[in-house]
Amino acid sequence: MREKLVIIGSGPAGYTAAVYAARAGLQPLIYAGENPGGLLTQTTTVENFPGFPDGVEGFDLVMGMQTQAEKFGARVDFDVVERLELTDGGVQKLFLASGTEVECDALIFATGASPRWLGLPSEDRLRNHGVSACATCDGAFFKDLPVVVAGGGDSAMEEALFLTRFASEVHVVHRRDELRASPIMAERAKNNPKIVFHWSCAVKEILGDKAVEAVDLEELKTGKTVRIPCRGFFAALGHLPNTALVKSLIELDPKGYVVLKNGTSATSLAGVFAAGDCADPRYRQAITAAGMGCRAAIDAERFLEGK
Ligand code: NDP
């Protein structure tokens, strides 16, 4: 199977690239990936996407993008890309879980990012049984119950503040005695009477047989263990770029994000472009991902024209 343009990823970056590429007559083929729609499908109302003064559900927003792309001739496939063989300016090859092999002249990589976990076995075992990385998805399950949030960045403050709408108390556990979060978010969290901070503490273990019952913390300065009874544990430790597929094929930065050339969407290989959270350690917003998708489609179109 030979395609002009393949897009890997179906969040706002992938679908915006698809809208632009489809309107340019490139009939892009999109591989939606293991989580079609990406992280937007896990949020509730998105209030900062311009054009929606009353907010829009994340799921509806991304589904609208898909419909818009398909209207102009983009095709969406739910097969999973397992391996890539990339060349500098030549044919790019995709190997799919179904055994199909696809070749294309240009590729847009828009695979997003995934939440970072602590890596504790108990975190894995109790995932979806009280352990979550998305307060907007799961917060409502913890009405009048105590919860723990791990992390000290803006995400952790946002998750903790959101959880105060439901939980009886929100314990924020941070490994240092200073937050990474912006002053405004930190202030809001510190002023909320439902939020209790546990400074310089590491999460040692999440306890519970079938569901979360407590979290054990180690006070890093004293070595003492403190047990917090709770029913929910939220990891808010930032995100990791989903770039395993292109590791050692294109240039990545030390944190694993795709390196883009000269403020464009070009990667270290001609004909391979990247957009969205997989190439953006800084902004990671739906609107910035969409903008990056637009740039990638325009760059890919010009590359194909030049060919
Ligand atoms: P960050 O990388 O900023 O923060 C991650 C937090 O998790 C840090 O406090 C870090 O600790 C902690 N952490 C990471 N790994 C571990 C670990 N293994 N064990 C314990 N703690 C750990 O990620 P965010 O998602 O919070 O933010 C990413 C970007 O998105 C930022 O630019 C942020 O400003 C932005 N953002 C903005 C929002 C807003 O303005 N409303 C909301 C959400 C995000 P340490 O500090 O010690 O490194």
Side-chain angles (χ1 to χ4, degrees), residues 103-159:
E103 294 184 345
C104 61
D105 294 316
L107 180 71
I108 295 178
F109 195 72
T111 50
S114 300
R116 181 191 275 124
W117 296 94
L118 289 169
L120 298 170
S122 51
E123 192 183 40
D124 260 358
R125 188 169 53 78
L126 294 168
R127 182 104 34 106
N128 301 326
H129 298 281
V131 171
S132 166
C134 178
T136 43
C137 314
D138 301 324
F141 296 128
F142 301 96
K143 193 156 168 30
D144 299 327
L145 297 169
V147 298
V148 167
V149 175
D154 279 328
S155 294
M157 298 309 108
E158 200 169 64
E159 302 271 280

Side-chain angles (χ1 to χ4, degrees), residues 116-118 150-156 158 174-176 178-180 182 185 236-239 281-285:
R116 181 191 275 124
W117 296 94
L118 289 169
D154 279 328
S155 294
E158 200 169 64
H174 184 36
R175 62 184 174 185
R176 296 185 293 134
E178 192 189 339
L179 291 173
R180 180 177 294 279
S182 54
M185 295 293 285
L237 309 166
H239 286 77
R282 194 181 177 95
Y283 302 105
R284 300 195 309 98
Q285 302 297 308

Side-chain angles (χ1 to χ4, degrees), residues 52-120:
F52 297 92
D54 299 322
V56 55
E57 292 303 300
F59 182 82
D60 295 343
L61 180 61
V62 81
M63 287 304 117
M65 292 181 188
Q66 178 182 339
T67 306
Q68 194 173 351
E70 286 175 325
K71 181 176 137 188
F72 294 113
R75 293 153 299 143
V76 181
D77 193 310
F78 295 92
D79 208 341
V80 172
V81 181
E82 282 192 339
R83 190 169 67 83
L84 294 170
E85 269 178 29
L86 304 181
T87 57
D88 193 16
V91 174
Q92 317 299 348
K93 282 191 188 166
L94 296 86
F95 301 86
L96 309 177
S98 62
T100 312
E101 216 177 292
V102 180
E103 294 184 345
C104 61
D105 294 316
L107 180 71
I108 295 178
F109 195 72
T111 50
S114 300
R116 181 191 275 124
W117 296 94
L118 289 169
L120 298 170

